[in-house]
Amino acid sequence: MSAFALGGMVLAAGAAAAQTAPAEQAAQDSEDRVEEVVVTGFRGAYASALATKRNSDQITDSISSDGLGRFPDLNVGEAIQRLPGVQINREADSRNATISLRGLPGSFARTTLNGSGFADPILSTSTNMGSTPLGAFNSDIFSGITIIKSPDASNVAGGLSGLIDLRIAPALSRNDGGFVKAAYEYNELGDQGSPSYTVGYSTHLTEDFAVFGTLAFKEENFRRDSISVNSWGNRLGAIQVGNQQAPGSNPVYDALIAAHPAGVYYPSQMRQFVRQNRGDVFTGAAGFEWQANDELRVGLTSFYTKRQLDEGTNHLLYIENGAGQNTNTALAATSAVTHFTSLGTPFVAADGRAYINTFTSENAQTFDSIRSEPVTQMVWALNPTVTFENAEWKATLEGTISRAEARSDQIELDIVQNAYRNLGAAGLNGITSSVFTGGDDLSRFRILLNTPNATHIPGSGYTIPVAANSVTQVGAVMPGQAATVAGDRFGVTGTNGQALTELEAVQFDVQRNLDGPISTLMAGLRFESTSFESSGSRNSAMGINMAGLTQGVSEVNPYVGDFFGGQAGGYTSNWRNVNVARTLAAILPVNTQLRSATNPNGVTNQFLLNPATGVFLTTYGLVNNYWDPNYWNNNFTNSNDTFSAYGMAKFDTEVFGFRAQGNVGLRYEKLDTSIVALDCQGCSSVRATAAGAVNHFVTERTYGSSNDYWLPSAMAKIDLTDELVLRAAYYRTYVRPQPRDNVPITSVLTPDPAVVNSPYTITIGATNLSPYTSDAYDLALEWYNRPGGVFAVSLYQKDVDGYIGPIVDPALLCPSNGLINGVDFGLGPLTILGTNCLTASGVQVQASGSTNQDPITVRGAELSIQQNLDFLPGWLSHFGGAANFTYIDIEGTTGAGVPITLPNVSRKNLNLIGYYETDRYGIRLTYNWRGDYDLAAGNSFVGDARTVKSRSQLDASASYNLTDRITISADAFNLTDATRSEYQGDPNLPRRMDYDGRTYQLTVRATF
């Protein structure tokens, strides 16, 4: 039996267990559990999985480990993307491996552990769409993962698109013995390696008492390289063609404007950057079970994981064009305007807008930037169970105590060579650039940058007085400039966030076995209490020690030599780096006496340095930028108490001569929510950019809501013939909003007088968002044409009411009467001009918020085939494989008649899996193709709606049994060297491209 076979994906294993109540799932008898977990080869595994799937009431798909600590994929998310209806999201730069399920974003699914809820390490929906980061768990501790696509009344609510059930087999069901595993992962990009080790053991200390434990450790060392057009600007007259110092119009550019009245856009900021991830993952599981007598069983399963990327860094180079003056007249020698020496022929989009994607320029502004971005994801859970069972009755009492932490800190350090820098008589800063965005392929981009200085820090350091510091940036007065003119700048910013989640629950289930058409009656009660404590801060440059900022903090970027794995030949190698450790040592400690004020109500939190002065410090020891929404909008607590009760009847009878099995049930849920948030008086309307008193204080505000739901469900499976099975399912459920979707405060951030064209930034509070509900319908037909083979088609429809999404209606975000979403911000009448929302005085307004949307309907079709070819002669009998295809259709509008687009959802998805297996060795090839999909857009006026291009990836796995107990395996991921690409509206308007490269893994396993 090959290790490849042992590690094979089982598309439906565990379906029988998924149809039972959550407490029953965690305590199934030993024989059934061993059948689910111990995989004996592709053919045996597929045949066993199809047998259990065929007998299940519910519609499920699963994968199973080999019982020796191996999933044959890079992580859990990569493995379950092989199942029909599952799509993996690759937006995060740290392999979070979140998924979208059955045409809905990740926040629509709920992740459970052995059928019960646990605290999720989720911080923000902006990067993972509220989905559990499966990359935070080492897959070696799991026995299997089941996707329950049609939850019944006995399942915990909250899985509108389905439940992702992580399975840890209980102690009595495990065979005695242990295993050890050592693996080495090699990432081609950067020539980086990551070792990992796992050990597990289980034993029956007596016939009735068993224990188990598994420990897994993995170093993480990988990187992602990216290129982006961070923004397409439309500043008419803000860029110049010709002599910069010449006043008046520029004929070339004026002709472009006249020819394209819908707007002429250009890449106003481009970036090339490297995200380096270093850290480790430690995961463990342990438990015991005691069969006290023939009817009573007591057990405990525990689980812990901590993923810490404490050396996550992001190295960036910005090139900005057109910064500064918004006029093409009265130009002076120090005008901060990009001088375009040539413009290519613009690309004209379908909406009539012209986009300049190639040009040469002088006087661009550059940033040498680095972001230290450590990430922590931690979860632990304890699940004690007591089960009483005899021939007629079964009762289970289960508890859950779980905690989670999700933390993402960031300090951003920028050295900015400003367009104001006057190095010559022509009024230019000496920087020249040649830019080409690459058309529809950003890997063809070109940014050839020439800057006169190795470092942009003046040789004498920054000597500008501390009293003139701004909140986020400090500047040096350059030779020949007036003291009032900002020169090169040093920036300090970055957002820090943390979420601490607590979950405690108790559940009681009872069932009565009967003779007759009604085979089982079930009922249960559950109480669950959760608390989500969110905190956030924003670093600033206030009070930093500028005397230490010398050229010693700047260095050559360490990744410039192999950027993008050689796949992008046009990147600029004139790329500096900022050393984080040396810089922090130079600028700290901050001068906390810079600001002083009283805090009238005495409110304190973890960022408060001194209640008497009102000075807040961030986790990096910097003064908190208190007027930034990342501080006062993200400091709140969201608590939920949920009471549940259900009743369900299972049936097994004949209908018109056909055997019919299934269940009918009803679940009741009552949800009470309480939100305690900060209300920062003076934060949103006043910016502190100079020395003086902090004129703000914080108070607390409490919001509450209560909702209850009746959730019916019905499942049926009808054996039309010995080979043909018809399934039908209906269920109703709901999903409560992710806590950070409930922005606690409505605010307006006034324009920054230090920044040209600074807008009003408005956040629309959404404390009254209601959970969204769904009525779901499933119909499936399965033809088991031969042992180990199936042809299946599944159709489903989900009618979703109250989906929470961004406000995109221009009439709400930029109304002519000035009442934004019904709130008067005192800005007066507003006007829409192109993609901009403007006040009567011409100041831009950027408003955003969330709301319950109009009803939407999601329909899908899943086709799957699974066959082994053991009926063929000779060596051909060793072949087998599987394939599945998913199609999704979404109907609905945003409320303004605009068709709704759900983020992170592709309409089409394809998986092809083929294997060749003998008793000694095995080979597997897996191919995944995912169609294009949209990302979430904040609002209608900032141009951030993006589409991710379709992508395909080929992976391979091979294994060889050295002995009956020792196996060696080799895996290769992304053999196609695929990239991930985003564009805005049209592929010829690229926004971002990510390159991860190929990954290889070598594994040795032994059992004892």
Side-chain angles (χ1 to χ4, degrees):
M1 176 178 56
S2 72
F4 174 69
L6 289 170
M9 184 186 69
V10 183
L11 292 179
Q19 69 181 331
T20 61
E24 187 179 358
Q25 292 177 6
Q28 283 190 338
D29 61 83
S30 174
E31 181 180 353
D32 289 342
R33 180 66 69 184
V34 171
E35 180 182 355
E36 177 190 350
V37 173
V38 179
V39 181
T40 58
F42 267 113
R43 292 176 188 81
Y46 279 116
S48 175
L50 290 181
T52 54
K53 180 181 179 71
R54 182 172 180 172
N55 293 327
S56 173
D57 294 348
Q58 296 175 295
I59 298 175
T60 66
D61 285 302
S62 299
I63 60 171
S64 180
S65 80
D66 56 9
L68 303 177
R70 170 181 152 89
F71 282 87
D73 287 283
L74 195 58
N75 54 50
V76 172
E78 295 276 356
I80 63 177
Q81 72 162 327
R82 318 259 183 230
L83 301 176
V86 179
Q87 299 171 349
I88 190 171
N89 302 317
R90 303 180 186 274
E91 277 61 60
D93 292 327
S94 53
R95 287 182 180 169
N96 276 339
T98 64
I99 67 167
S100 300
L101 179 60
R102 299 201 106 189
L104 294 166
S107 59
F108 285 74
R110 183 172 185 180
T111 305
T112 58
L113 179 64
N114 285 344
S116 186
F118 65 92
D120 254 332
I122 296 175
L123 176 63
S124 172
T125 60
S126 62
T127 57
N128 55 42
M129 298 308 299
S131 179
T132 303
L134 297 174
F137 308 108
N138 194 314
S139 61
D140 290 355
I141 70 162
F142 298 122
S143 307
I145 301 172
T146 298
I147 307 295
I148 303 175
K149 297 181 176 179
S150 58
D152 61 32
S154 70
N155 294 119
V156 294
L160 192 149
S161 59
L163 298 173
I164 306 167
D165 192 26
L166 309 176
R167 310 300 301 277
I168 299 176
L172 284 173
S173 69
R174 296 175 178 247
N175 294 328
D176 287 353
F179 72 95
V180 292
K181 184 189 88 168
Y184 187 82
E185 177 186 295
Y186 173 74
N187 292 279
E188 217 173 42
L189 180 60
D191 190 25
Q192 301 180 117
S194 304
S196 62
Y197 312 94
T198 304
V199 59
Y201 189 76
S202 60
T203 183
H204 287 68
L205 299 178
T206 70
E207 184 178 351
D208 300 320
F209 187 83
V211 296
F212 77 92
T214 304
L215 294 176
F217 174 83
K218 178 184 178 181
E219 289 187 12
E220 294 207 61
N221 192 14
F222 61 94
R223 84 184 216 209
R224 167 177 285 182
D225 293 1
S226 302
I227 307 161
S228 74
V229 179
N230 203 55
S231 58
W232 287 87
N234 183 27
R235 296 182 182 177
L236 303 184
I239 57 176
Q240 306 299 310
V241 177
N243 185 352
Q244 180 180 340
Q245 297 187 55
S249 63
N250 292 279
V252 176
Y253 191 55
D254 288 348
L256 282 176
I257 296 173
H260 305 286
V264 178
Y265 293 74
Y266 64 98
S268 55
Q269 185 185 108
M270 299 187 71
R271 300 180 180 180
Q272 56 188 49
F273 50 105
V274 172
R275 166 69 191 226
Q276 177 66 59
N277 300 273
R278 289 194 179 96
D280 53 60
V281 182
F282 176 80
T283 307
F288 75 86
E289 266 194 311
W290 176 42
Q291 189 75 45
N293 54 48
D294 290 342
E295 297 180 332
L296 183 64
R297 183 168 64 246
V298 179
L300 173 70
T301 300
S302 62
F303 158 67
Y304 174 87
T305 189
K306 185 173 185 179
R307 184 187 194 213
Q308 186 134 11
L309 299 178
D310 49 5
E311 296 183 50
T313 53
N314 213 343
H315 304 254
L316 298 96
L317 174 65
Y318 299 9
I319 298 98
E320 290 194 350
N321 301 286
Q325 303 280 346
N326 191 22
T327 178
N328 60 0
T329 61
L331 299 177
T334 58
S335 296
V337 183
T338 298
H339 171 198
F340 280 7
T341 54
S342 67
L343 296 176
T345 302
F347 166 77
V348 181
D351 59 6
R353 300 175 187 174
Y355 292 84
I356 300 171
N357 58 21
T358 181
F359 58 86
T360 59
S361 71
E362 294 179 320
N363 212 41
Q365 178 172 283
T366 66
F367 286 50
D368 295 330
S369 177
I370 191 169
R371 301 175 184 179
S372 176
E373 298 175 335
V375 172
T376 300
Q377 297 160 328
M378 184 278 296
V379 183
W380 63 262
L382 296 173
N383 289 105
T385 60
V386 179
T387 303
F388 173 87
E389 183 176 11
N390 58 30
E392 296 179 343
W393 290 93
K394 183 175 183 179
T396 303
L397 179 65
E398 178 182 19
T400 302
I401 303 174
S402 183
R403 301 290 186 266
E405 177 188 8
R407 187 181 190 95
S408 177
D409 291 326
Q410 180 195 76
I411 183 168
E412 178 180 342
L413 304 171
D414 301 326
I415 302 176
V416 186
Q417 184 162 348
N418 205 322
Y420 279 106
R421 184 165 186 154
N422 182 8
L423 295 180
L428 304 176
N429 64 10
I431 299 177
T432 61
S433 64
S434 175
V435 173
F436 171 53
T437 65
D440 62 354
D441 183 0
L442 196 56
S443 68
R444 300 184 301 177
F445 93 120
R446 182 182 67 247
I447 306 178
L448 300 180
L449 182 69
N450 173 51
T451 178
N453 298 323
T455 175
H456 305 148
I457 297 180
S460 58
Y462 290 95
T463 59
I464 191 169
V466 171
N469 292 353
S470 70
V471 171
T472 59
Q473 295 177 332
V474 294
V477 178
M478 300 309 300
Q481 293 180 326
T484 56
V485 178
D488 287 7
R489 290 172 288 146
F490 177 79
V492 180
T493 184
T495 300
N496 311 299
Q498 182 185 46
L500 300 175
T501 304
E502 299 182 357
L503 183 146
E504 296 175 357
V506 60
Q507 178 163 327
F508 177 71
D509 298 279
V510 61
Q511 73 178 49
R512 178 71 161 88
N513 298 324
L514 304 172
D515 294 326
I518 305 299
S519 59
T520 307
L521 293 177
M522 300 176 61
L525 300 173
R526 179 180 176 87
F527 177 77
E528 180 179 295
S529 177
T530 61
S531 174
F532 180 93
E533 181 182 344
S534 172
S535 59
S537 65
R538 185 77 169 173
N539 301 307
S540 78
M542 289 190 291
I544 67 172
N545 175 25
M546 295 181 58
L549 286 175
T550 66
Q551 293 183 349
V553 304
S554 177
E555 60 189 14
V556 175
N557 186 282
Y559 305 105
V560 68
D562 64 344
F563 179 69
F564 228 73
Q567 302 299 309
Y571 72 93
T572 182
S573 59
N574 197 345
W575 188 357
R576 301 290 297 180
N577 190 57
V578 184
N579 187 285
V580 176
R582 288 201 294 266
T583 303
L584 286 176
I587 65 177
L588 295 178
V590 297
N591 177 10
T592 58
Q593 301 305 312
L594 178 66
R595 311 268 179 205
S596 62
T598 59
N599 192 332
N601 66 338
V603 171
T604 62
N605 63 30
Q606 66 185 84
F607 303 117
L608 186 59
L609 173 69
N610 187 339
T613 63
V615 176
F616 295 76
L617 287 190
T618 71
T619 55
Y620 288 97
L622 296 162
V623 175
N624 180 47
N625 186 351
Y626 59 84
W627 49 257
D628 191 280
N630 287 289
Y631 158 56
W632 48 273
N633 251 352
N634 286 329
N635 285 272
F636 65 90
T637 299
N638 185 311
S639 301
N640 294 274
D641 289 335
T642 307
F643 170 76
S644 308
Y646 77 91
M648 190 172 74
K650 292 186 175 183
F651 60 85
D652 188 345
T653 185
E654 285 195 2
V655 178
F656 302 113
F658 300 105
R659 185 185 181 188
Q661 299 169 277
N663 64 73
V664 177
L666 178 65
R667 188 179 186 93
Y668 171 78
E669 296 247 344
K670 187 176 188 302
L671 172 65
D672 295 319
T673 301
S674 175
I675 301 173
V676 180
L678 293 182
D679 186 0
C680 187
Q681 303 296 324
C683 287
S684 62
S685 59
V686 178
R687 293 176 181 264
T689 58
V694 176
N695 55 347
H696 85 291
F697 62 91
V698 293
T699 58
E700 290 184 348
R701 188 179 300 183
T702 301
Y703 309 84
S705 64
S706 182
N707 298 276
D708 59 350
Y709 303 92
W710 292 95
L711 309 173
S713 64
M715 320 279 167
K717 179 186 73 71
I718 302 174
D719 294 327
L720 300 178
T721 68
D722 291 340
E723 298 178 342
L724 199 61
V725 176
L726 177 67
R727 298 180 184 275
Y730 162 79
Y731 70 96
R732 179 174 176 81
T733 190
Y734 76 99
V735 173
R736 59 192 180 205
Q738 289 297 324
R740 281 200 172 188
D741 285 339
N742 291 48
V743 178
I745 304 297
T746 295
S747 65
V748 54
L749 193 62
T750 57
D752 188 342
V755 179
V756 178
N757 298 320
S758 178
Y760 286 97
T761 303
I762 295 174
T763 301
I764 303 169
T767 57
N768 59 345
L769 293 176
S770 300
Y772 35 99
T773 61
S774 168
D775 289 286
Y777 310 87
D778 286 81
L779 185 66
L781 186 64
E782 301 161 357
W783 176 37
Y784 298 88
N785 63 314
R786 59 182 311 278
V790 67
F791 293 86
V793 58
S794 178
L795 307 176
Y796 65 87
Q797 175 173 310
K798 298 179 184 292
D799 298 327
V800 182
D801 189 19
Y803 164 61
I804 297 172
I807 302 173
V808 296
D809 186 354
L812 296 177
L813 295 172
C814 191
S816 58
N817 64 4
L819 300 180
I820 299 178
N821 202 37
V823 178
D824 187 0
F825 290 95
L827 303 181
L830 302 175
T831 303
I832 298 175
L833 179 62
T835 61
N836 296 319
C837 178
L838 304 175
T839 65
S841 60
V843 180
Q844 188 177 7
V845 177
Q846 295 181 355
S848 64
S850 298
T851 186
N852 290 109
Q853 308 280 344
D854 288 348
I856 61 175
T857 298
V858 178
R859 299 185 181 92
E862 299 170 353
L863 290 82
S864 59
I865 303 171
Q866 183 177 300
Q867 299 287 311
N868 65 67
L869 306 181
D870 55 3
F871 59 90
L872 295 177
W875 62 273
L876 294 175
S877 64
H878 297 294
F879 282 101
N884 59 72
F885 176 77
T886 303
Y887 177 80
I888 297 164
D889 180 64
I890 300 171
E891 290 184 3
T893 67
T894 62
V898 179
I900 195 167
T901 299
L902 294 179
N904 298 84
V905 174
S906 298
R907 292 171 61 91
K908 300 174 183 178
N909 196 82
L910 173 68
N911 287 292
L912 299 174
I913 304 166
Y915 66 88
Y916 182 87
E917 178 188 47
T918 71
D919 292 338
R920 179 60 64 181
Y921 64 90
I923 300 172
R924 184 188 73 163
L925 293 176
T926 59
Y927 173 84
N928 171 264
W929 175 85
R930 180 178 180 181
D932 58 8
Y933 59 93
D934 293 322
L935 300 175
N939 62 63
S940 297
F941 302 110
V942 296
D944 59 355
R946 302 185 303 275
T947 299
V948 179
K949 288 184 178 180
S950 60
R951 181 183 184 276
S952 61
Q953 179 169 318
L954 178 66
D955 302 333
S957 181
S959 66
Y960 185 80
N961 288 338
L962 297 177
T963 70
D964 291 341
R965 292 184 175 270
I966 301 176
T967 302
I968 185 169
S969 304
D971 304 287
F973 307 101
N974 193 24
L975 287 172
T976 48
D977 213 19
T979 59
R980 177 188 168 279
S981 299
E982 301 173 11
Y983 62 90
Q984 177 182 314
D986 188 287
N988 283 284
L989 306 177
R991 290 297 298 269
R992 175 167 172 163
M993 175 174 281
D994 298 325
Y995 179 77
D996 297 343
R998 301 180 182 92
T999 299
Y1000 305 94
Q1001 187 169 268
L1002 183 66
T1003 304
V1004 178
R1005 294 175 298 157
T1007 62
F1008 57 91

